Amino acid sequence: MSIHSKKYGVIGNPISHSRSPLIHQAFALQTDIPLIYSAILAPLDGFTDTVNRFRTEGGLGLNVTVPFKHEAFAYCTDHSERALQAGAVNTLIFSEDPQAPARGDNTDGVGLMRDLAYNGIELTGKRILLLGAGGAARGVLGPLIAANPANILVANRNGETAGQLIRDFGADSRPQGVVSLSACALADFPLDGIAFDLIINATSASLSGECPALPDTVLHINTIAYDMAYGTAPTVFMDWASAKGARALDGLGMLVEQAAESFYLWHGVYPQTEQVRARLREELHSS
Ligand code: NDP
């Protein structure tokens, strides 16, 4: 890469686990677009300062990960429809003037939907349990509703946040017959034997080797347990679901697909994802 390569990156805390640099560098090679893409650790109380410094050093775009998607939303003065719907931003788009307003978008929803489709997972009429109510859950809830499942239960450690999330998506005003949305605290999870077709873990529990506590009755023989996290080994959530006979998937495919959408927003070219998925999977298995 030359010193004239454009600068991009991913910002988060923690960040060392992120495979985004590898993905964007692979897309850059594939499309012949010279760029530098780095992983940037921001102090928990230093998101804005870190972003501003990156911009004064010529940075043109950032992906945003845990726990900064809400702060990234607040940082922007211009939002895409998807970001406005989610109230969370995972892609920041800057102009060359570091003082100019920043645009925020959210590609998590597209990323998840493309990966579910890639894995042959149908959502129409299905019962979905969404664990977590942070930036990632906010990003995917709109597209999940649009896929017309029978119902979606959002369960979060903090039940208030889960309630607020579904209210933000119109739960109180939703007409009868359209997707039914409900929310609860994980500690108050209904124990009356409801089983789900798809359980999506959008909590960050896996990053610390934990798993949201759920009754085994949430699983049936064809349940798909999807963890947005990914790593060298299956997460505790995936192990729990697999041990009960469910099909468990990690978030590696979603990561590649949301990255492809960000790449398109920054460069106007849509990269191929198949080879990058395979390469990343291989790297994870061999590390
Ligand atoms: P946020 O920090 O915005 O939200 C974290 C969420 O996890 C909150 O709902 C929080 O609950 C919950 N949580 C944290 N720790 C625990 C725990 N020990 N037990 C139960 N719940 C917990 O993070 P994001 O929403 O941005 O990211 C969530 C996860 O999704 C991360 O693992 C991230 O890596 C992954 N992700 C993956 C993507 C991909 O492309 N594969 C894309 C986006 C995210 P509370 O509100 O109670 O604090």
Side-chain angles (χ1 to χ4, degrees):
M1 297 293 148
S2 83
I3 52 162
H4 303 297
S5 297
K6 293 179 174 177
K7 280 182 66 171
Y8 298 86
V10 55
I11 183 167
N13 186 331
I15 200 63
S16 57
H17 67 286
S18 176
R19 297 302 203 271
S20 292
L22 205 151
I23 297 171
H24 280 271
Q25 277 145 17
F27 288 161
L29 270 180
Q30 183 199 108
T31 54
D32 217 9
I33 294 175
L35 59 86
I36 297 167
Y37 188 106
S38 337
I40 299 161
L41 179 71
L44 290 175
D45 60 354
F47 174 77
T48 300
D49 287 348
T50 309
V51 173
N52 286 340
R53 196 171 325 119
F54 177 76
R55 294 184 68 184
T56 55
E57 290 164 3
L60 292 178
L62 283 171
N63 284 129
V64 182
T65 186
V66 184
F68 296 126
K69 290 180 184 177
H70 294 106
E71 279 183 75
F73 182 87
Y75 184 89
C76 301
T77 41
D78 177 24
H79 300 90
S80 69
E81 273 301 309
R82 299 183 292 204
L84 284 175
Q85 187 188 43
V89 157
N90 83 333
T91 307
L92 289 166
I93 302 152
F94 309 129
S95 66
E96 276 168 19
D97 172 5
Q99 310 296 331
R103 179 166 169 83
D105 204 333
N106 193 311
T107 66
D108 283 339
V110 176
L112 175 69
M113 300 313 279
R114 290 214 178 112
D115 195 40
L116 292 176
Y118 178 89
N119 284 290
I121 298 165
E122 250 295 319
L123 299 180
T124 313
K126 297 295 165 65
R127 290 158 297 176
I128 300 178
L129 171 58
L130 178 61
L131 303 171
R138 282 193 162 269
V140 302
L141 187 54
L144 286 175
I145 294 169
N148 211 22
N151 49 58
I152 303 176
L153 169 60
V154 178
N156 191 43
R157 189 170 56 180
N158 180 333
E160 288 295 313
T161 319
Q164 188 56 54
L165 175 56
I166 65 159
R167 281 192 296 282
D168 289 349
F169 279 79
D172 293 341
S173 58
R174 200 158 289 279
Q176 295 264 323
V178 186
V179 183
S180 138
L181 281 180
S182 53
C184 70
L186 276 168
D188 302 329
F189 197 86
L191 299 171
D192 55 1
I194 315 166
F196 294 87
D197 303 305
L198 172 64
I199 306 178
I200 300 171
N201 185 8
T203 74
S204 48
S206 302
L207 297 181
S208 48
E210 294 171 61
C211 179
L214 291 172
D216 292 348
T217 49
V218 295
L219 299 168
H220 61 67
I221 191 71
N222 293 316
T223 298
I224 291 154
Y226 188 105
D227 200 331
M228 286 193 189
Y230 54 89
T232 51
T235 65
V236 186
F237 169 78
M238 291 169 68
D239 281 341
W240 163 76
S242 307
K244 307 282 180 297
R247 178 181 173 202
L249 297 167
D250 70 11
L252 196 78
M254 173 179 173
L255 180 80
V256 175
E257 297 297 340
Q258 62 78 30
E261 185 78 10
S262 296
F263 191 90
Y264 173 72
L265 292 172
W266 289 328
H267 309 295
V269 179
Y270 215 98
Q272 299 289 326
T273 54
E274 184 70 42
Q275 275 185 351
V276 180
R277 278 172 174 267
R279 184 171 152 209
L280 224 59
R281 186 64 70 196
E282 208 179 287
E283 289 216 359
L284 280 185
H285 281 157
S286 61
S287 50

